[in-house]
Amino acid sequence: MSTNHNPAKPISPSTTFDEIALPSYTKRPDQRPPIATHHGIEARTINTATGATALVADGGPSALSIPESDVHGEREGEERESSSGGSPPRSITSIELPENNPNIPFEFNAINNKLIDEILKRYPEQYKKAAVMPLLDLGQRQLGYTSISVMNEVARLLEMPPMRVYEVATFYTMYNRSPVGKFHVQACTTTPCQLCGSDGVMKAIESNLGIHPGETTADNLFTFTEVECLGACVNGPMIQINDDYYEDLTPESTNALLDALRSASQQTSSDAGKDAVKSGPSGGDNAGAVYSKGKTTLPSPGPMTGRKTCENKAGLTNLTEPKWGVETTRTDL
């Protein structure tokens, strides 16, 4: 593909970029609106008629708002206002959702405020912004997701620019920036899990819940997300539900797990399954155990096959001899 250039000065090894006449950009009707980025977050013109622009992250608009000059740079023929004077930069029009906008107040409760005090003690005063991740996690656990109000409150507590908090919250997938169901089902489909059958687990989840990745059931009980490696490759395929890992899954055991969670939510309180052990196959400390409360039984987190952690599925293949020590090697003792 040829490149238009200035015929008065042919391109040579010494030619600078500014001396090359690049073709002007022509927008076709079928092209998506131009996208600028601000610290990795897309800023896309949503309404081409009005020029309204909103931040778009992970395929959906958020309630973030950043200076227009930071996204689009300087307009042609204009100079950026000096930071020491002039009018402040105009703000981008952002899409604010009813359940997630800066006007919704958020404050940490008394228990979390005590936890925050303990967390901040781990860092020197001048580096307290390093606590941004644990504080965002606390906010998500209190509210249920990391809303823009949670981010702003964390920024206020840590005395850091809100955009720095937005950068963290939009980079790590552990922070849910929209509401999720009571059970957040995260299915790993990275290569090790896929080789072990994660495709079948994905189909089982979709069939059982009637939703696709990125969706939430109508009763707000389950949210289904497809994720990258969760670090339990040797026990794949696996899924994470809230904070718990369920491993060595099959489509059948996946369906049984989801059915048990649904039943537990309908018949008992949120702590269902944490009481008396009903039964469980041998193979480790509570590995594959089944917990019972009322009429509902739930498998414990971990491998669903009964093996302990990540030991060989066929059982131990080494260290099978009786333990011995100096009494075996030292006959003189």
Side-chain angles (χ1 to χ4, degrees), residues 15 29 72 114 123 130 138 149 188 193 225 240 270 302 305 311 313:
T15 302
H72 297 289
K114 291 181 180 180
Y123 305 95
L138 277 180
S149 298
C188 174
C193 279
T225 307
Q240 178 181 349
S270 60
T305 56
E311 67 184 10
K313 291 182 179 180

Side-chain angles (χ1 to χ4, degrees), residues 3-9 11 15-24:
T3 304
N4 295 332
H5 59 87
N6 188 346
K9 184 167 183 178
I11 297 176
T15 302
T16 65
F17 180 79
D18 292 335
E19 295 172 321
I20 302 175
L22 298 177
S24 61

Side-chain angles (χ1 to χ4, degrees), residues 38 41-42 53-57 61-66 92-96 100-102 146-149 151-152 162-163 165-167 169-170 177:
H38 184 81
I41 306 172
E42 294 181 357
T53 306
L55 287 180
V56 178
S62 70
L64 305 183
S65 179
I66 60 176
I92 287 179
T93 302
S94 59
I95 297 178
E96 297 180 356
N100 188 5
N101 66 77
T146 306
S147 69
I148 184 69
S149 298
M151 301 181 206
N152 290 337
M163 179 52 72
V165 180
Y166 303 159
E167 291 171 349
T170 56
R177 298 191 309 281

Side-chain angles (χ1 to χ4, degrees), residues 21-269:
L22 298 177
S24 61
Y25 172 76
T26 302
K27 181 176 179 295
R28 299 194 308 268
D30 59 337
Q31 285 181 316
R32 68 189 294 189
I35 296 174
T37 61
H38 184 81
H39 297 288
I41 306 172
E42 294 181 357
R44 182 178 306 138
T45 300
I46 302 298
N47 189 330
T48 55
T50 63
T53 306
L55 287 180
V56 178
D58 288 356
S62 70
L64 305 183
S65 179
I66 60 176
E68 186 174 7
S69 58
D70 284 356
V71 174
H72 297 289
E74 300 163 4
R75 291 178 178 268
E76 187 175 354
E78 291 182 358
E79 292 185 0
R80 187 187 294 261
E81 293 286 347
S82 170
S83 60
S84 60
S87 59
R90 290 166 292 179
S91 296
I92 287 179
T93 302
S94 59
I95 297 178
E96 297 180 356
L97 304 177
E99 70 278 3
N100 188 5
N101 66 77
N103 298 321
I104 300 176
F106 173 83
E107 292 182 356
F108 285 100
N109 57 35
I111 295 177
N112 282 337
N113 276 322
K114 291 181 180 180
L115 290 175
I116 290 173
D117 291 339
E118 291 299 320
I119 291 172
L120 293 181
K121 290 178 182 178
R122 305 172 186 172
Y123 305 95
E125 177 65 24
Q126 67 272 29
Y127 296 120
K128 66 180 181 180
K129 64 182 180 181
V132 61
M133 293 188 70
L135 263 60
L136 283 173
D137 183 65
L138 277 180
Q140 175 165 288
R141 292 177 184 276
Q142 177 177 319
L143 184 63
Y145 66 104
T146 306
S147 69
I148 184 69
S149 298
V150 170
M151 301 181 206
N152 290 337
E153 178 65 6
V154 170
R156 185 189 70 81
L157 290 173
L158 299 181
E159 299 178 352
M160 57 191 296
M163 179 52 72
R164 297 302 181 209
V165 180
Y166 303 159
E167 291 171 349
V168 175
T170 56
F171 180 82
Y172 293 101
T173 57
M174 63 183 283
Y175 301 117
N176 304 312
R177 298 191 309 281
S178 7
V180 296
K182 180 176 182 179
F183 300 111
H184 188 191
V185 181
Q186 303 170 73
C188 174
T189 56
T190 314
T191 306
C193 279
Q194 188 177 44
L195 291 174
C196 293
S198 65
D199 288 349
V201 171
M202 290 284 291
K203 292 179 180 178
I205 296 173
E206 290 180 313
S207 175
N208 188 291
L209 302 181
I211 57 176
H212 301 292
E215 298 178 349
T216 299
T217 55
D219 58 3
N220 289 323
L221 192 58
F222 291 96
T223 294
F224 179 29
T225 307
E226 181 179 358
V227 297
E228 297 301 321
C229 184
L230 292 172
C233 308
V234 73
N235 288 18
M238 60 82 60
I239 61 176
Q240 178 181 349
I241 300 181
N242 297 345
D243 290 333
D244 296 323
Y245 278 20
Y246 295 89
E247 305 155 351
D248 292 335
L249 293 168
T250 63
E252 293 74 21
S253 61
T254 301
N255 278 319
L257 174 60
L258 296 176
D259 290 341
L261 291 173
R262 183 183 295 109
S263 179
S265 178
Q266 294 171 351
Q267 298 183 23
T268 63
S269 61

